[in-house]
């Protein structure tokens, strides 16, 4: 498609966009009395309008049924989380029994490390990407220290080449082969939070498995954003948060995936709690732990219903739209945004550079040369919500569920004015 940087053309794209009606499913913050142009769905997704109903329902059941709500609410609480498994399985490319919802992301990565990082003298190294998300770095460092290793030795970071903004798959695989039989685990972000790069998760998973390591993925920026096939790729485990592209609300519950080959086994080390034991015998209050046949075996506590209710509401939307349709729009809208940026770049003195590679999802990271922060402030004041990452990157994520092509056009005009006047 040949794009044009005009309002008329943007409106034409919106008119033929099958997902356009979903815009009305969300609440938008207002700036200067108008809905904002929201580019930070990669940080905190907008609130779906239908979420309120799901939360109200739980509040009502709690008010009217109290403890009886566990079994007699319309959606009983004791197995409420199971309602998310089908939808989540579709979003991450897993069987419903391979997914569960519990805790928060960093907590879950630690819990999964109990099962999948079991180093010994010979095999103890972890491969991750250079400058991984800080929480992942702290998590990995503390895990290696917990097992008596020096993180400087046990953590192997894959670097980008000098002068390049992205990782090369061949370099990651070469590093996996180099560490070889010392490699205990590969744990990386499937979509990098900084440059928006989508790693070749399939190739990396296969390479890691080939040298005998476990392979896990932090999917914080990948879930609800890019095509995932965790089961077919043979990934051992994964975890993600739900508040970025999945719009489930601030700090909300995390999802996990555990490959089916580890399910229904009692020889897997794991931290356990009563919500991981079989439902049929749970309330007999026996002292023997009998793991549920699904990834729910990793659940410790009874889940926070008030927080998984918004997650269920959000999954309903994803289920209606489907990942394929979502990704199709995403490709077009991100390409259109890229086009608009390039057009603006031609019209003003070049001040920025897109550092996101072609292997991308929803995000374009724009490196601003020069007066970056003032442009960011100008955008915010003029109703464009982006985010800023030091030293001088603006991240733009036009989430396909609620961003329009017209937004992209208007953004371009605001950006141009910002560059010319700040
Ligand atoms: C957002 C994000 C997190 C956040 O972790 P929480 O435990 O939910 O606070 C972790 N890792 C990555 C890669 C992220 O992008």
């Amino acid at each position: 498609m040949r794009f044009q940087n005009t309002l008329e053309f943007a409106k034409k794209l919106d008119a033929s966009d099958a997902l356009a009606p979903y815009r009305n499913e969300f609440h938008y913050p207002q700036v200067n009395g108008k809905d904002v142009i929201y580019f930070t769905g990669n940080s905190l997704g907008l609130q779906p309008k239908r979420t309120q109903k799901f939360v109200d329902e739980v509040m009502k059941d709690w008010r009217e049924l109290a403890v009886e709500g566990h079994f007699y609410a319309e959606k009983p609480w004791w197995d409420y989380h199971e309602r998310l498994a089908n939808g989540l399985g579709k979003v991450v490319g897993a069987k419903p029994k391979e997914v569960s919802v519990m805790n928060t992301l960093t907590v879950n990565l630690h819990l999964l490390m109990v099962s999948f990082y079991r180093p010994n003298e010979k095999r103890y190294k972890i491969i991750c990407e250079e400058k991984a998300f800080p929480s992942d770095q702290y998590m990995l460092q503390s895990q290696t220290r917990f097992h008596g290793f020096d993180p400087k030795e046990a953590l192997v970071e894959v670097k980008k080449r000098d002068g390049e903004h992205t990782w090369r798959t061949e370099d990651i695989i070469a590093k996996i082969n180099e560490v070889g039989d010392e490699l205990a685990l590969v744990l990386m972000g499937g979509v990098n939070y900084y440059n928006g790069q989508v790693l070749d998760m399939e190739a990396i998973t296969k390479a890691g498995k080939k040298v005998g390591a476990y392979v896990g993925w932090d999917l914080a920026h990948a879930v609800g954003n890019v095509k995932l096939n965790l089961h077919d790729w043979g990934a051992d485990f994964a975890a993600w948060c739900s508040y970025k592209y999945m719009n489930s609300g601030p700090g909300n519950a995390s999802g996990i995936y555990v490959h089916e080959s580890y399910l229904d086994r009692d020889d897997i080390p794991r931290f356990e709690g009563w919500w991981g034991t079989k439902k049929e015998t749970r309330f007999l209050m026996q002292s023997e732990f009998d793991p549920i046949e699904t990834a729910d075996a990793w659940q410790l506590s009874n889940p926070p219903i008030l927080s998984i209710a918004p997650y269920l509401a959000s999954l309903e939307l994803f289920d209606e739209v489907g990942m394929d349709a979502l990704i199709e729009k995403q490709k077009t809208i991100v390409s259109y945004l890229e086009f608009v940026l390039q057009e603006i770049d031609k019209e003003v003195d070049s001040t920025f550079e897109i550092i996101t590679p072609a292997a991308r999802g929803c995000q374009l990271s724009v490196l601003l040369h020069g007066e970056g922060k003032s442009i960011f402030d100008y955008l915010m004041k003029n109703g464009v919500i982006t985010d800023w990452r030091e030293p001088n990157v603006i991240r733009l994520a036009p989430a396909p569920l609620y961003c329009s092509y017209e937004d992209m056009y208007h953004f371009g005009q605001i950006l141009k004015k910002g560059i010319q006047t700040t």
Side-chain angles (χ1 to χ4, degrees):
M1 193 186 317
R2 277 189 64 84
F3 291 135
Q4 295 167 26
N5 186 25
T6 63
L7 181 58
E8 194 196 353
F9 186 81
K11 283 188 166 170
K12 222 186 271 171
L13 286 175
D14 282 325
S16 59
D17 170 17
L19 266 59
Y22 282 92
R23 199 175 157 74
N24 199 31
E25 290 274 348
F26 290 86
H27 293 292
Y28 296 80
Q30 306 278 306
V31 169
N32 307 328
K34 285 206 314 225
D35 288 355
V36 297
I37 298 170
Y38 197 72
F39 278 124
T40 42
N42 57 352
S43 182
L44 180 70
L46 292 178
Q47 183 184 131
K49 289 178 182 165
R50 67 179 73 182
T51 300
Q52 186 76 49
K53 179 169 72 82
F54 281 68
V55 174
D56 286 348
E57 188 181 79
V58 178
M59 293 299 281
K60 175 172 177 286
D61 287 336
W62 174 26
R63 185 166 67 236
E64 294 177 0
L65 300 170
V67 72
E68 298 276 271
H70 281 298
F71 296 104
Y72 302 112
E74 198 182 310
K75 298 188 185 99
W77 305 329
W78 82 302
D79 58 2
Y80 194 103
H81 58 279
E82 292 177 9
R83 292 166 188 274
L84 287 86
N86 258 317
L88 263 185
K90 283 190 220 161
V91 170
V92 301
K95 301 184 178 183
K97 68 175 176 184
E98 293 174 314
V99 298
S100 186
V101 174
M102 59 195 216
N103 314 309
T104 45
L105 174 54
T106 308
V107 174
N108 284 341
L109 287 172
H110 274 299
L111 287 173
L112 288 162
M113 295 282 276
V114 171
S115 302
F116 296 104
Y117 181 55
R118 287 143 42 198
N120 56 42
E121 283 296 302
K122 185 158 175 356
R123 204 183 260 285
Y124 62 95
K125 291 190 176 168
I126 301 175
I127 285 185
C128 63
E129 71 277 33
E130 181 185 31
K131 297 206 179 115
F133 191 82
S135 196
D136 295 36
Q137 293 186 47
Y138 308 146
M139 189 269 300
L140 292 173
Q141 289 163 13
S142 62
Q143 281 282 340
T144 59
R145 261 187 264 113
F146 175 75
H147 286 284
F149 297 97
D150 177 357
K152 283 201 190 64
E153 228 237 307
L155 283 184
V156 180
E157 296 186 345
V158 183
K159 298 189 190 332
K160 300 173 201 141
R161 295 189 188 183
D162 280 348
E164 296 189 4
H165 293 300
T166 57
W167 287 271
R168 296 193 189 197
T169 306
E170 71 222 63
D171 291 353
I172 299 172
I173 290 176
K175 187 59 85 179
I176 288 172
N177 291 331
E178 181 193 316
V179 180
D181 56 11
E182 288 182 349
L183 186 61
L185 174 68
V186 178
L187 199 152
M188 305 180 98
V191 175
N192 185 259
Y193 80 100
Y194 189 79
N195 69 0
Q197 178 179 5
V198 182
L199 293 186
D200 187 338
M201 288 176 260
E202 178 170 16
I204 295 166
T205 299
K206 293 199 164 132
K209 302 295 299 172
K210 205 163 154 203
V211 301
Y214 288 109
V215 180
W217 292 99
D218 179 335
L219 300 177
H221 281 261
V223 73
N225 176 20
V226 298
K227 188 85 183 157
L228 298 169
N229 268 316
L230 292 175
H231 178 86
D232 288 347
W233 295 339
D236 295 303
F237 70 97
W240 55 90
C241 49
S242 59
Y243 46 81
K244 293 176 179 169
Y245 292 107
M246 296 228 54
N247 314 316
S248 83
N252 208 348
S254 156
I256 65 158
Y257 152 89
V258 178
H259 190 273
E260 86 177 318
S261 57
Y262 306 107
L263 303 181
D264 203 16
R265 278 169 54 173
D266 47 21
D267 59 342
I268 305 265
R270 178 173 51 210
F271 287 169
E272 295 170 341
W274 73 321
W275 233 254
T277 199
K278 284 217 169 74
K279 289 191 296 186
E280 297 76 35
T281 48
R282 180 180 302 150
F283 296 100
L284 300 178
M285 301 301 191
Q286 293 164 335
S287 52
E288 196 81 345
F289 182 86
D290 190 8
I292 303 183
E293 307 86 335
T294 71
D296 288 344
W298 273 260
Q299 280 194 334
L300 302 181
S301 302
N302 76 103
I305 305 300
L306 278 169
S307 93
I308 59 179
Y311 200 176
L312 186 59
S314 143
L315 271 172
E316 201 180 79
L317 273 169
F318 276 82
D319 216 36
E320 270 174 44
V321 174
M323 283 309 294
D324 290 339
L326 199 75
I327 289 168
E328 197 185 313
K329 172 170 176 189
Q330 177 207 85
K331 286 194 189 325
T332 315
I333 199 167
V334 174
S335 298
Y336 189 56
L337 173 63
E338 183 181 38
F339 171 81
V340 168
L341 282 165
Q342 285 160 350
E343 290 299 295
I344 302 302
D345 193 41
K346 284 184 214 154
E347 292 172 28
V348 297
D349 274 348
S350 179
T351 45
F352 54 86
E353 172 190 358
I354 297 172
I355 60 169
T356 303
R360 67 193 181 194
C362 200
Q363 173 180 327
L364 290 181
S365 299
V366 183
L367 182 61
L368 297 164
H369 298 296
E371 45 179 347
K373 197 76 196 261
S374 59
I375 291 175
F376 168 79
D377 293 337
Y378 180 90
L379 292 172
M380 292 295 272
K381 267 196 219 105
N382 287 278
V384 181
I385 315 283
T386 68
D387 84 2
W388 175 262
R389 282 290 175 270
E390 295 295 341
N392 54 347
V393 162
I394 280 180
R395 301 186 303 169
L396 306 167
L401 270 179
Y402 50 73
C403 289
S404 68
Y405 294 94
E406 203 180 320
D407 283 345
M408 302 307 109
Y409 170 78
H410 288 309
F411 160 70
Q413 297 304 303
I414 297 169
L415 177 69
K416 184 162 106 182
K417 208 159 167 202
I419 292 170
Q420 287 166 340
T421 58
T422 58

